[in-house]
Amino acid sequence: MHTLSCDLDLSAASGARWLNAARRYCPPEAEPWIWVAPDTDDAPAMVGWGEQARFTAHGHGAVQNAYQAYSSWVAEHPGSAPVAFGSFPFSRDEEGFLVVPAVLLVRHHLGEPTLVFGAQSALVRGDDSDLPVIDTQLPDLDADHWRQAVASATTRLSEDSDLEKVVLSRSVTIQASAPMNRGLVAARLSEKFSGCWTYCHDGLVGATPELLVDCRDGLFRCRVLAGTRKPSWSHELLQDPKEHREHELAVTSVTRRLAEAGLSDPAVRGPFLLELPNVTHLATDITARVGTTNAAQIVDVIHPTAAVCGTPRELAYQFIEQTEVVDRGRFAGPVGWMSPDGSGQWALALRCGQFSNDNRSVRVHAGAGIMPSSDPDKEWIETGAKMEAFKSVLEG
Protein backbone atom coordinates (compact mmCIF):
# COMPACT_ATOMS: atom_id res chain seq x y z
CA MET A 1 0.00 0.00 0.00
CA HIS A 2 1.18 3.50 -0.81
CA THR A 3 -0.21 7.00 -1.24
CA LEU A 4 -1.19 8.09 -4.74
CA SER A 5 1.22 10.69 -6.10
CA CYS A 6 -0.27 13.06 -8.65
CA ASP A 7 -0.31 16.67 -9.69
CA LEU A 8 -3.69 17.27 -8.06
CA ASP A 9 -4.55 17.48 -4.37
CA LEU A 10 -7.44 15.05 -4.19
CA SER A 11 -7.78 14.91 -0.41
CA ALA A 12 -10.25 17.81 -0.24
CA ALA A 13 -11.87 17.29 -3.66
CA SER A 14 -15.57 16.54 -3.93
CA GLY A 15 -16.47 12.95 -4.71
CA ALA A 16 -17.25 13.82 -8.32
CA ARG A 17 -13.95 15.66 -8.81
CA TRP A 18 -12.04 12.85 -7.06
CA LEU A 19 -13.64 10.27 -9.34
CA ASN A 20 -12.91 12.20 -12.52
CA ALA A 21 -9.22 12.32 -11.57
CA ALA A 22 -8.85 8.84 -10.06
CA ARG A 23 -10.56 6.97 -12.92
CA ARG A 24 -7.90 8.21 -15.35
CA TYR A 25 -5.35 5.93 -13.68
CA CYS A 26 -7.29 2.88 -14.85
CA PRO A 27 -5.34 1.36 -17.78
CA PRO A 28 -7.09 1.71 -21.15
CA GLU A 29 -7.26 -2.07 -21.56
CA ALA A 30 -9.12 -2.50 -18.24
CA GLU A 31 -12.66 -1.62 -17.13
CA PRO A 32 -13.03 0.24 -13.83
CA TRP A 33 -14.80 -0.69 -10.63
CA ILE A 34 -16.30 2.48 -9.14
CA TRP A 35 -18.14 3.51 -6.00
CA VAL A 36 -18.61 7.14 -4.96
CA ALA A 37 -21.16 8.19 -2.34
CA PRO A 38 -22.51 11.70 -1.74
CA ASP A 39 -20.00 13.86 0.15
CA THR A 40 -22.39 14.09 3.10
CA ASP A 41 -21.99 10.32 3.66
CA ASP A 42 -18.31 10.55 4.60
CA ALA A 43 -17.93 7.15 2.94
CA PRO A 44 -15.00 5.68 0.98
CA ALA A 45 -14.57 6.83 -2.63
CA MET A 46 -13.12 4.00 -4.70
CA VAL A 47 -11.82 3.17 -8.16
CA GLY A 48 -10.37 -0.24 -8.94
CA TRP A 49 -9.63 -2.55 -11.84
CA GLY A 50 -8.79 -6.17 -12.50
CA GLU A 51 -9.82 -9.12 -10.34
CA GLN A 52 -7.88 -10.76 -7.56
CA ALA A 53 -10.81 -12.95 -6.56
CA ARG A 54 -14.51 -13.39 -7.38
CA PHE A 55 -17.20 -14.99 -5.22
CA THR A 56 -20.58 -15.83 -6.75
CA ALA A 57 -23.93 -16.89 -5.29
CA HIS A 58 -27.63 -16.95 -6.11
CA GLY A 59 -30.93 -17.68 -4.39
CA HIS A 60 -32.03 -16.73 -0.89
CA GLY A 61 -29.11 -15.45 1.20
CA ALA A 62 -26.92 -14.88 -1.86
CA VAL A 63 -25.14 -11.76 -0.59
CA GLN A 64 -24.32 -13.35 2.77
CA ASN A 65 -23.12 -16.56 1.11
CA ALA A 66 -20.78 -14.59 -1.16
CA TYR A 67 -19.61 -12.52 1.81
CA GLN A 68 -18.79 -15.62 3.88
CA ALA A 69 -16.65 -16.98 1.03
CA TYR A 70 -14.97 -13.59 0.69
CA SER A 71 -14.35 -13.33 4.44
CA SER A 72 -12.73 -16.78 4.52
CA TRP A 73 -10.54 -15.89 1.55
CA VAL A 74 -9.39 -12.62 3.17
CA ALA A 75 -8.15 -14.53 6.22
CA GLU A 76 -5.67 -16.29 3.93
CA HIS A 77 -4.76 -13.18 1.89
CA PRO A 78 -3.99 -10.44 4.40
CA GLY A 79 -2.41 -8.10 1.85
CA SER A 80 -5.42 -7.88 -0.46
CA ALA A 81 -7.51 -4.79 -1.19
CA PRO A 82 -9.66 -3.87 1.84
CA VAL A 83 -13.02 -4.09 0.03
CA ALA A 84 -14.96 -6.22 -2.43
CA PHE A 85 -17.30 -4.65 -4.98
CA GLY A 86 -20.68 -6.37 -5.25
CA SER A 87 -23.65 -6.54 -7.58
CA PHE A 88 -26.61 -8.91 -7.46
CA PRO A 89 -29.57 -9.33 -9.82
CA PHE A 90 -33.21 -8.62 -9.08
CA SER A 91 -34.11 -12.24 -9.79
CA ARG A 92 -33.10 -14.79 -7.16
CA ASP A 93 -32.46 -17.34 -9.92
CA GLU A 94 -29.59 -15.34 -11.41
CA GLU A 95 -26.06 -15.18 -10.06
CA GLY A 96 -24.47 -12.18 -8.35
CA PHE A 97 -20.94 -11.56 -7.17
CA LEU A 98 -18.41 -9.95 -4.87
CA VAL A 99 -15.11 -9.06 -6.56
CA VAL A 100 -11.81 -8.13 -4.93
CA PRO A 101 -10.05 -5.80 -7.40
CA ALA A 102 -6.44 -6.40 -8.36
CA VAL A 103 -5.70 -2.69 -7.92
CA LEU A 104 -7.66 -0.28 -5.74
CA LEU A 105 -7.52 3.47 -5.24
CA VAL A 106 -9.46 4.51 -2.14
CA ARG A 107 -10.00 7.71 -0.22
CA HIS A 108 -11.55 6.57 3.06
CA HIS A 109 -12.74 10.00 4.18
CA LEU A 110 -12.98 13.48 2.71
CA GLY A 111 -9.75 15.30 3.59
CA GLU A 112 -7.60 12.15 3.66
CA PRO A 113 -5.02 11.06 1.07
CA THR A 114 -5.81 8.55 -1.65
CA LEU A 115 -4.28 5.14 -0.94
CA VAL A 116 -3.27 2.56 -3.53
CA PHE A 117 -3.47 -1.21 -3.03
CA GLY A 118 -2.10 -3.88 -5.35
CA ALA A 119 -0.19 -1.75 -7.86
CA GLN A 120 3.01 -3.45 -9.02
CA SER A 121 4.44 -0.33 -10.64
CA ALA A 122 3.92 3.42 -10.71
CA LEU A 123 0.46 4.43 -11.91
CA VAL A 124 0.21 6.51 -15.05
CA ARG A 125 -2.57 9.06 -15.40
CA GLY A 126 -4.11 8.94 -18.85
CA ASP A 127 -6.48 11.08 -20.87
CA ASP A 128 -9.65 10.11 -22.66
CA SER A 129 -11.65 11.36 -25.59
CA ASP A 130 -15.27 12.49 -25.53
CA LEU A 131 -18.16 10.06 -25.82
CA PRO A 132 -19.19 9.00 -29.35
CA VAL A 133 -22.31 10.05 -31.21
CA ILE A 134 -25.51 8.17 -30.35
CA ASP A 135 -26.82 6.36 -33.45
CA THR A 136 -30.10 4.80 -32.31
CA GLN A 137 -32.40 4.48 -29.30
CA LEU A 138 -34.59 1.38 -29.50
CA PRO A 139 -37.32 0.81 -26.87
CA ASP A 140 -37.54 -2.83 -25.82
CA LEU A 141 -41.23 -2.27 -25.09
CA ASP A 142 -43.35 0.21 -27.06
CA ALA A 143 -46.02 2.46 -25.57
CA ASP A 144 -48.93 0.18 -26.56
CA HIS A 145 -47.40 -2.89 -24.92
CA TRP A 146 -46.56 -0.79 -21.85
CA ARG A 147 -50.20 0.29 -21.57
CA GLN A 148 -51.26 -3.34 -21.81
CA ALA A 149 -48.85 -4.35 -19.04
CA VAL A 150 -49.99 -1.53 -16.74
CA ALA A 151 -53.66 -2.29 -17.50
CA SER A 152 -53.05 -5.94 -16.61
CA ALA A 153 -51.47 -4.85 -13.33
CA THR A 154 -54.23 -2.40 -12.38
CA THR A 155 -56.89 -5.02 -13.16
CA ARG A 156 -55.13 -7.57 -10.97
CA LEU A 157 -54.69 -5.01 -8.18
CA SER A 158 -58.37 -4.09 -8.32
CA GLU A 159 -59.53 -7.71 -8.28
CA ASP A 160 -57.04 -9.19 -5.82
CA SER A 161 -57.33 -7.59 -2.38
CA ASP A 162 -54.12 -9.33 -1.25
CA LEU A 163 -51.98 -7.53 -3.85
CA GLU A 164 -51.52 -3.80 -3.12
CA LYS A 165 -48.70 -2.68 -5.42
CA VAL A 166 -46.40 -3.97 -8.16
CA VAL A 167 -43.42 -2.34 -9.85
CA LEU A 168 -43.13 -2.70 -13.61
CA SER A 169 -40.06 -1.76 -15.63
CA ARG A 170 -39.09 -1.12 -19.21
CA SER A 171 -35.83 -0.44 -21.03
CA VAL A 172 -34.33 1.31 -24.03
CA THR A 173 -31.22 0.07 -25.86
CA ILE A 174 -28.89 2.85 -27.00
CA GLN A 175 -26.34 2.21 -29.72
CA ALA A 176 -23.34 4.45 -30.33
CA SER A 177 -21.07 5.02 -33.32
CA ALA A 178 -18.01 3.82 -31.34
CA PRO A 179 -17.25 2.26 -27.93
CA MET A 180 -18.35 4.33 -24.94
CA ASN A 181 -16.05 4.90 -21.95
CA ARG A 182 -17.76 3.48 -18.85
CA GLY A 183 -15.56 5.45 -16.47
CA LEU A 184 -16.32 8.73 -18.23
CA VAL A 185 -20.06 7.99 -18.12
CA ALA A 186 -19.81 7.29 -14.37
CA ALA A 187 -17.85 10.51 -13.81
CA ARG A 188 -20.45 12.55 -15.67
CA LEU A 189 -23.25 10.95 -13.66
CA SER A 190 -21.42 11.70 -10.40
CA GLU A 191 -20.94 15.33 -11.39
CA LYS A 192 -24.56 15.84 -12.44
CA PHE A 193 -26.12 13.80 -9.60
CA SER A 194 -23.75 14.51 -6.73
CA GLY A 195 -26.39 13.60 -4.14
CA CYS A 196 -26.61 10.04 -5.52
CA TRP A 197 -24.48 6.91 -5.16
CA THR A 198 -22.41 6.39 -8.34
CA TYR A 199 -21.27 2.91 -9.34
CA CYS A 200 -19.64 0.97 -12.15
CA HIS A 201 -19.75 -2.79 -11.54
CA ASP A 202 -19.06 -5.20 -14.41
CA GLY A 203 -20.69 -3.01 -17.05
CA LEU A 204 -23.59 -1.84 -14.89
CA VAL A 205 -23.14 1.93 -14.55
CA GLY A 206 -25.44 4.32 -12.76
CA ALA A 207 -26.09 6.99 -10.13
CA THR A 208 -28.88 5.90 -7.82
CA PRO A 209 -30.74 8.08 -5.34
CA GLU A 210 -31.92 5.11 -3.24
CA LEU A 211 -29.67 3.79 -0.47
CA LEU A 212 -30.57 0.25 0.54
CA VAL A 213 -28.12 -0.47 3.37
CA ASP A 214 -25.39 1.63 4.96
CA CYS A 215 -23.91 -0.41 7.79
CA ARG A 216 -20.88 1.23 9.37
CA ASP A 217 -19.70 1.93 12.94
CA GLY A 218 -22.63 0.13 14.53
CA LEU A 219 -25.27 2.17 12.72
CA PHE A 220 -27.70 1.30 9.92
CA ARG A 221 -29.16 3.80 7.49
CA CYS A 222 -31.26 3.61 4.36
CA ARG A 223 -33.22 5.97 2.13
CA VAL A 224 -36.56 4.80 0.75
CA LEU A 225 -38.02 6.43 -2.38
CA ALA A 226 -41.50 5.95 -3.82
CA GLY A 227 -43.67 8.52 -5.49
CA THR A 228 -42.20 10.46 -8.42
CA ARG A 229 -42.96 13.52 -10.50
CA LYS A 230 -41.10 15.62 -13.03
CA PRO A 231 -39.79 18.80 -11.33
CA SER A 232 -42.51 21.03 -12.75
CA TRP A 233 -45.16 18.78 -11.17
CA SER A 234 -43.44 18.30 -7.78
CA HIS A 235 -46.26 19.97 -5.86
CA GLU A 236 -48.55 17.07 -6.78
CA LEU A 237 -46.53 14.67 -4.63
CA LEU A 238 -47.67 16.33 -1.43
CA GLN A 239 -51.33 16.21 -2.47
CA ASP A 240 -51.77 12.89 -4.29
CA PRO A 241 -53.20 10.06 -2.09
CA LYS A 242 -51.95 7.44 -4.57
CA GLU A 243 -48.35 8.65 -4.24
CA HIS A 244 -48.53 8.82 -0.44
CA ARG A 245 -49.95 5.30 -0.20
CA GLU A 246 -47.29 3.97 -2.57
CA HIS A 247 -44.60 5.61 -0.44
CA GLU A 248 -46.10 4.27 2.79
CA LEU A 249 -45.97 0.72 1.41
CA ALA A 250 -42.30 1.13 0.46
CA VAL A 251 -41.33 2.43 3.90
CA THR A 252 -43.27 -0.32 5.68
CA SER A 253 -41.55 -2.98 3.55
CA VAL A 254 -38.29 -1.92 5.23
CA THR A 255 -39.39 -1.09 8.78
CA ARG A 256 -41.29 -4.37 9.25
CA ARG A 257 -38.11 -6.35 8.52
CA LEU A 258 -35.64 -4.43 10.71
CA ALA A 259 -35.91 -6.80 13.67
CA GLU A 260 -35.45 -9.82 11.37
CA ALA A 261 -32.32 -8.10 10.04
CA GLY A 262 -30.88 -7.76 13.56
CA LEU A 263 -31.54 -4.02 13.89
CA SER A 264 -33.05 -2.13 16.82
CA ASP A 265 -34.16 1.35 17.96
CA PRO A 266 -35.32 2.51 14.51
CA ALA A 267 -35.90 6.18 13.75
CA VAL A 268 -37.92 7.28 10.73
CA ARG A 269 -37.65 10.74 9.13
CA GLY A 270 -40.03 11.57 6.32
CA PRO A 271 -41.58 11.73 3.92
CA PHE A 272 -39.81 14.74 2.42
CA LEU A 273 -39.25 15.94 -1.13
CA LEU A 274 -35.95 14.82 -2.66
CA GLU A 275 -35.30 17.11 -5.61
CA LEU A 276 -33.01 15.85 -8.36
CA PRO A 277 -32.21 17.51 -11.70
CA ASN A 278 -34.60 15.26 -13.64
CA VAL A 279 -37.27 14.19 -11.11
CA THR A 280 -38.55 14.79 -7.59
CA HIS A 281 -39.26 11.90 -5.19
CA LEU A 282 -41.02 11.37 -1.92
CA ALA A 283 -38.22 10.15 0.38
CA THR A 284 -37.89 8.76 3.89
CA ASP A 285 -34.66 8.14 5.81
CA ILE A 286 -34.51 5.26 8.29
CA THR A 287 -31.77 4.69 10.88
CA ALA A 288 -31.26 1.95 13.48
CA ARG A 289 -28.66 0.33 15.70
CA VAL A 290 -26.75 -2.70 14.44
CA GLY A 291 -26.34 -5.74 16.69
CA THR A 292 -24.31 -8.77 15.65
CA THR A 293 -25.46 -8.69 12.02
CA ASN A 294 -23.49 -7.45 8.99
CA ALA A 295 -24.33 -5.46 5.87
CA ALA A 296 -24.69 -8.57 3.68
CA GLN A 297 -27.26 -10.17 5.99
CA ILE A 298 -29.29 -6.96 6.12
CA VAL A 299 -29.33 -6.72 2.31
CA ASP A 300 -30.61 -10.28 2.03
CA VAL A 301 -33.44 -9.59 4.48
CA ILE A 302 -34.58 -6.22 3.11
CA HIS A 303 -34.22 -6.72 -0.65
CA PRO A 304 -36.35 -6.54 -2.72
CA THR A 305 -38.23 -3.65 -1.11
CA ALA A 306 -41.65 -2.49 -2.23
CA ALA A 307 -39.91 0.37 -4.05
CA VAL A 308 -38.64 -2.05 -6.71
CA CYS A 309 -40.94 -5.05 -6.30
CA GLY A 310 -44.30 -4.41 -4.64
CA THR A 311 -46.52 -5.42 -1.72
CA PRO A 312 -46.73 -8.09 -0.51
CA ARG A 313 -43.28 -9.07 -1.68
CA GLU A 314 -43.86 -12.63 -2.85
CA LEU A 315 -47.12 -11.95 -4.71
CA ALA A 316 -45.61 -8.92 -6.44
CA TYR A 317 -42.44 -10.84 -7.29
CA GLN A 318 -44.47 -13.61 -8.91
CA PHE A 319 -46.54 -11.11 -10.90
CA ILE A 320 -43.38 -9.42 -12.20
CA GLU A 321 -41.89 -12.75 -13.29
CA GLN A 322 -45.08 -13.60 -15.15
CA THR A 323 -45.64 -10.17 -16.72
CA GLU A 324 -42.34 -8.50 -17.62
CA VAL A 325 -40.96 -9.48 -21.01
CA VAL A 326 -37.50 -7.91 -20.59
CA ASP A 327 -35.01 -9.45 -18.16
CA ARG A 328 -34.09 -6.88 -15.50
CA GLY A 329 -30.66 -8.41 -15.01
CA ARG A 330 -28.97 -6.50 -12.18
CA PHE A 331 -31.27 -3.48 -12.55
CA ALA A 332 -33.14 -2.95 -9.23
CA GLY A 333 -30.79 -5.39 -7.51
CA PRO A 334 -28.33 -4.58 -4.70
CA VAL A 335 -25.10 -2.86 -5.76
CA GLY A 336 -22.31 -1.74 -3.45
CA TRP A 337 -19.34 -3.00 -1.46
CA MET A 338 -18.34 -5.06 1.57
CA SER A 339 -15.31 -4.89 3.84
CA PRO A 340 -13.95 -7.95 5.67
CA ASP A 341 -15.31 -6.71 9.03
CA GLY A 342 -18.91 -6.90 7.76
CA SER A 343 -19.45 -3.21 7.15
CA GLY A 344 -20.60 -2.04 3.75
CA GLN A 345 -22.73 0.28 1.71
CA TRP A 346 -25.37 -0.94 -0.73
CA ALA A 347 -27.85 0.86 -2.94
CA LEU A 348 -30.59 -0.20 -5.32
CA ALA A 349 -29.24 -0.33 -8.88
CA LEU A 350 -31.44 2.39 -10.38
CA ARG A 351 -30.84 5.19 -12.94
CA CYS A 352 -28.49 2.83 -14.67
CA GLY A 353 -27.49 1.18 -17.90
CA GLN A 354 -25.96 -2.21 -18.67
CA PHE A 355 -23.16 -1.90 -21.23
CA SER A 356 -22.46 -4.54 -23.85
CA ASN A 357 -19.06 -6.24 -23.79
CA ASP A 358 -17.84 -4.06 -26.66
CA ASN A 359 -19.29 -0.87 -25.06
CA ARG A 360 -21.06 0.07 -28.30
CA SER A 361 -24.51 -0.31 -26.77
CA VAL A 362 -26.12 0.14 -23.37
CA ARG A 363 -29.53 -0.94 -22.12
CA VAL A 364 -31.09 1.74 -19.90
CA HIS A 365 -33.74 0.64 -17.40
CA ALA A 366 -36.45 2.38 -15.36
CA GLY A 367 -39.44 1.25 -13.35
CA ALA A 368 -42.65 2.64 -11.88
CA GLY A 369 -44.82 1.64 -8.95
CA ILE A 370 -48.26 0.57 -10.14
CA MET A 371 -51.30 1.08 -7.90
CA PRO A 372 -54.98 0.33 -8.71
CA SER A 373 -55.50 3.95 -9.84
CA SER A 374 -52.31 4.23 -11.94
CA ASP A 375 -52.52 5.92 -15.34
CA PRO A 376 -50.42 4.04 -17.95
CA ASP A 377 -49.53 7.24 -19.81
CA LYS A 378 -48.33 8.99 -16.64
CA GLU A 379 -46.25 5.94 -15.72
CA TRP A 380 -44.74 5.99 -19.23
CA ILE A 381 -43.76 9.64 -18.70
CA GLU A 382 -42.33 8.84 -15.26
CA THR A 383 -40.14 6.00 -16.54
CA GLY A 384 -38.99 8.20 -19.40
CA ALA A 385 -37.98 10.95 -16.99
CA LYS A 386 -36.01 8.44 -14.92
CA MET A 387 -34.18 7.14 -17.99
CA GLU A 388 -33.28 10.71 -18.93
CA ALA A 389 -30.92 10.84 -15.96
CA PHE A 390 -28.64 8.31 -17.66
CA LYS A 391 -29.30 9.28 -21.26
CA SER A 392 -28.50 12.95 -20.65
CA VAL A 393 -24.82 12.26 -19.87
CA LEU A 394 -24.42 10.30 -23.10
CA GLU A 395 -25.78 13.10 -25.21
CA GLY A 396 -24.11 16.13 -23.67
Side-chain angles (χ1 to χ4, degrees):
M1 179 190 71
H2 60 273
T3 302
L4 179 65
S5 299
C6 63
D7 56 355
L8 297 173
D9 180 11
L10 299 180
S11 61
S14 66
R17 182 167 171 263
W18 181 92
L19 171 57
N20 197 40
R23 70 174 180 84
R24 296 172 187 267
Y25 289 93
C26 179
E29 67 275 10
E31 295 291 357
W33 300 95
I34 290 172
W35 182 267
V36 175
D39 291 332
T40 52
D41 270 15
D42 193 27
M46 298 178 284
V47 170
W49 57 89
E51 291 187 20
Q52 191 173 3
R54 178 181 286 250
F55 310 94
T56 60
H58 69 279
H60 291 281
V63 184
Q64 173 65 4
N65 289 338
Y67 168 68
Q68 288 178 328
Y70 162 57
S71 181
S72 298
W73 179 87
V74 167
E76 300 175 358
H77 299 80
S80 60
V83 299
F85 294 97
S87 182
F88 288 78
F90 175 81
S91 172
R92 304 186 190 104
D93 297 330
E94 298 179 23
E95 199 169 69
F97 60 80
L98 286 173
V99 164
V100 181
V103 178
L104 177 71
L105 279 61
V106 57
R107 185 183 66 179
H108 287 290
H109 301 282
L110 187 65
E112 293 185 356
T114 297
L115 304 179
V116 180
F117 294 83
Q120 302 301 312
S121 58
L123 299 181
V124 178
R125 186 172 183 268
D127 294 314
D128 51 33
S129 57
D130 205 351
L131 292 172
V133 174
I134 300 303
D135 283 339
T136 59
Q137 298 187 35
L138 304 172
D140 297 308
L141 191 72
D142 62 27
D144 287 339
H145 285 92
W146 172 258
R147 291 188 190 98
Q148 292 173 17
V150 174
S152 174
T154 55
T155 299
R156 171 72 181 276
L157 289 162
S158 299
E159 295 176 349
D160 186 348
S161 60
D162 291 331
L163 186 61
E164 295 188 77
K165 171 190 173 181
V166 295
V167 178
L168 296 181
S169 67
R170 65 184 183 93
S171 58
V172 172
T173 298
I174 297 173
Q175 296 179 329
S177 58
M180 294 171 276
N181 185 317
R182 299 176 188 176
L184 176 56
V185 172
R188 287 187 175 183
L189 285 169
S190 183
E191 180 179 12
K192 187 170 184 178
F193 301 95
S194 58
C196 295
W197 289 263
T198 300
Y199 54 93
C200 177
H201 287 35
D202 236 12
L204 186 69
V205 180
T208 176
E210 190 149 4
L211 180 66
L212 181 65
V213 171
D214 187 347
C215 180
R216 293 176 292 150
D217 303 320
L219 296 175
F220 160 83
R221 182 171 65 98
C222 75
R223 172 166 289 173
V224 180
L225 306 182
T228 305
R229 285 289 188 276
K230 297 189 75 170
S232 58
W233 302 339
S234 295
H235 63 281
E236 295 181 1
L237 286 173
L238 300 175
Q239 304 166 359
D240 191 330
K242 176 261 183 187
E243 300 293 349
H244 276 267
R245 179 57 179 159
E246 180 185 346
H247 186 78
E248 179 185 355
L249 291 173
V251 172
T252 302
S253 73
V254 175
T255 56
R256 69 191 296 245
R257 297 182 183 274
L258 294 181
E260 181 185 350
L263 305 170
S264 60
D265 301 326
V268 179
R269 186 179 72 87
F272 58 89
L273 292 181
L274 179 66
E275 298 178 343
L276 301 173
N278 60 315
V279 292
T280 300
H281 296 289
L282 281 178
T284 292
D285 287 344
I286 303 170
T287 57
R289 294 187 180 278
V290 178
T292 58
T293 189
N294 61 58
Q297 290 173 314
I298 302 171
V299 170
D300 281 331
V301 171
I302 292 179
H303 184 269
T305 68
V308 295
C309 183
T311 303
R313 177 193 285 182
E314 290 307 317
L315 276 180
Y317 183 87
Q318 292 169 12
F319 183 87
I320 290 168
E321 285 203 317
Q322 296 164 2
T323 304
E324 288 192 347
V325 297
V326 177
D327 182 12
R328 291 190 181 190
R330 288 181 284 137
F331 164 69
V335 61
W337 58 269
M338 289 293 297
S339 67
D341 66 3
S343 61
Q345 201 171 41
W346 293 82
L348 291 172
L350 307 175
R351 311 298 191 271
C352 61
Q354 177 65 57
F355 281 86
S356 61
N357 290 336
D358 64 4
N359 292 326
R360 287 180 175 268
S361 68
V362 58
R363 174 175 282 178
V364 183
H365 296 265
I370 309 301
M371 302 286 285
S373 60
S374 290
D375 181 329
D377 292 329
K378 286 186 177 180
E379 305 298 352
W380 177 268
I381 292 172
E382 176 184 321
T383 51
K386 291 174 176 177
M387 287 184 191
E388 190 58 32
F390 190 93
K391 291 161 64 175
S392 64
V393 303
L394 300 181
E395 299 164 347

